[in-house]
Amino acid sequence: MAEVYYVGVDVGTASVRAALVTRAGLVMSTAEETISIWEPQSDHYVQSSTEIWEKCCTVVKRVTQGVEKSQVRGIGFDATCSLVVLDQSFQPVPVSQDGDKQRDTVMWMDHRAEEQAARITNTCHRVLRRVGGVMSPEMQPPKLLWLKENLRESCWNKAAHFFDLPDFLSWKATGSLTRVGLKELTIDSVIGADIKGFQLPCEDQPLTSRMAMICGTSTCHMAISKQPLFVPGVWGPCLSAMVPGMWLNEGGQSATGRLIDHMVKGHAAYTQLQERVQQRFPLTGENIFSYLNNHLSLMATSGSVDLLGSSLHVWPDFHGNRSPLADPTLRGMTLDDLALLYLATIQSLALGTLQILEAMKEAGHDIRTLFLCGGLSKNALFVQIHANATALPVVLPDQTEAVLIGAAVLGACASQDYSTVQEAMERMAKVGKVVQPDLELQSFYERKYKVFLRLFAHQREYQALMNQR
């Protein structure tokens, strides 16, 4: 019998990727295309749905080249929660004041609607309980309100269809306007993996003991429960949004990979770093983060790399705080040299994860293991520090392209080759590596976490002082 395949398509912030995946979850080929991002005004980020779809077609054709059509049983999409606006004829509608019709997509990270989000929050409507009590400017309602109030003639009055980007992709692929119900299943391919034999604290425990983290440009923290749990500053609970019949809570950090890039590339020593990497690895092309990880190991002549961050502390919310504080106005502060700044930035992101975990546990979640996927899960230092800071083991997938496999799981379910989502997850997702926390650093991170929380408290104090009349 000929091998059957599924295609997974992942539309991220800056690129479109696709993978051809076997029934057993093995990635046979991948392809990637960059997509344009425009910033017509500060905090306004837009894209073109036409370009996004064209790039989707390009990468799918590339990964299925040489494969018989009959062997491809299904295709699944996942994407950011950007907002696509089309008119009655399904043609693009401009979402910026420059009127460019091709730029019809308000990106997830667009914060133009902060004032509208605050007004919605101030209504104290009971539905806000489902988003942690606070409306985020990254969500669709404040963006829609902004378009209505600021682009009534050029956008709002012409618009007939508002799509969440995953829904737009499924409509383009099928012609059906049915909205996608299980958009977050890409994470499921990680959280639903068979973990027997790895001696993890979540073994023989329900899926509710696991948290999935999708670490890329931003990070999503996904936890599920049998009963609805309301976590202040955390989105949800949403029924069957990730696992059928289970309630999902989603925390997040608005800028993670993007923040690390910003901190490193904006430093005065970045040019020197590039030269060092090029001199040392002219052929292998080792990336700057691998070089920094190694450089930090050399700096830690006695003791752990983590301890180098004892006197340097970062508040990571350079694009506002998504969870659990739900404050888009918060901003960070930093000092010192590039390598230590890189380390301190990763530590701050890990402590932000700990803060989300603490909020979820206080609301009733019992999370014992972290499951990481996404681009940052390939950074060994990022992974180890998350284990150390949270004092939880971290599970990494067998296949590095776990997000694409998750999208392929959707395709497998659509083909009905598997009877349930859980069956597809167990067959196609496997544990690759378990990273245990260094418990000798527990006291260090307890102290660093106290500093982390004071950074937030102090920033609120400074805001209050400056807001006095």
Side-chain angles (χ1 to χ4, degrees), residues 236-256:
C238 300
L239 181 62
S240 298
M242 187 165 84
V243 177
M246 305 289 278
W247 294 86
L248 171 71
N249 285 110
E250 178 184 347
Q253 294 166 314
S254 295
T256 48

Side-chain angles (χ1 to χ4, degrees), residues 118-232:
R119 276 161 45 202
I120 294 172
T121 297
N122 290 338
T123 66
C124 299
H125 195 285
R126 64 182 183 275
V127 76
L128 290 170
R129 290 189 71 209
R130 297 286 176 175
V131 292
V134 178
M135 178 60 68
S136 168
E138 295 176 10
M139 291 182 170
Q140 314 297 24
K143 290 175 179 174
L144 291 169
L145 183 56
W146 189 95
L147 293 173
K148 181 179 181 181
E149 294 177 344
N150 293 275
L151 298 178
R152 181 181 289 271
E153 294 300 323
S154 61
C155 177
W156 184 259
N157 290 346
K158 296 178 179 178
H161 303 278
F162 296 101
F163 287 97
D164 206 43
L165 184 53
D167 291 326
F168 168 80
L169 297 173
S170 65
W171 165 70
K172 288 292 286 185
T174 65
S176 171
L177 288 172
T178 302
R179 291 307 197 246
V180 178
L182 297 173
K183 282 180 282 193
E184 303 295 352
L185 273 174
T186 53
I187 304 119
D188 241 310
S189 71
V190 182
I191 203 173
D194 184 359
I195 57 160
K196 286 180 179 153
F198 287 90
Q199 287 76 54
L200 289 165
C202 63
E203 189 169 345
D204 298 322
Q205 298 294 321
L207 287 178
T208 53
S209 65
R210 311 179 187 187
M211 174 186 276
M213 288 176 56
I214 303 84
C215 319
T217 303
S218 62
T219 293
C220 296
H221 301 73
M222 322 294 288
I224 53 176
S225 57
K226 290 183 178 179
Q227 300 298 324
L229 297 175
F230 293 87
V231 187

Side-chain angles (χ1 to χ4, degrees), residues 296 300-309 343 388 438 441 444-445:
L296 286 165
T301 53
S302 58
S304 170
V305 164
D306 303 59
L307 300 178
L308 293 172
L343 170 65
N388 294 345
D438 183 348
L441 294 170
F444 167 76
Y445 275 108

Side-chain angles (χ1 to χ4, degrees), residues 299-374:
M299 291 174 66
T301 53
S302 58
S304 170
V305 164
D306 303 59
L307 300 178
L308 293 172
S310 297
S311 59
L312 180 60
H313 308 284
V314 172
W315 182 259
D317 295 318
F318 280 55
H319 201 59
N321 181 281
R322 185 188 298 168
S323 302
L325 307 176
D327 187 340
T329 67
L330 295 179
R331 299 293 185 264
M333 47 187 151
T334 59
L335 300 167
D336 224 294
D337 71 11
L338 177 53
L340 291 179
L341 184 58
Y342 165 69
L343 170 65
T345 301
I346 292 177
Q347 288 177 324
S348 72
L349 293 169
L351 292 171
T353 291
L354 177 60
Q355 189 181 28
I356 292 169
L357 277 167
E358 293 291 328
M360 286 189 171
K361 287 180 179 178
E362 191 172 333
H365 283 280
D366 179 23
I367 296 162
R368 306 184 188 186
T369 309
L370 302 180
F371 289 72
L372 266 64
C373 67

Side-chain angles (χ1 to χ4, degrees), residues 53-71:
W53 181 248
E54 288 174 351
K55 295 297 177 73
C56 285
C57 295
T58 297
V59 293
V60 169
K61 288 176 182 177
R62 200 178 301 161
V63 298
T64 56
Q65 191 171 9
V67 176
E68 292 292 331
K69 289 183 180 179
S70 60
Q71 291 179 270

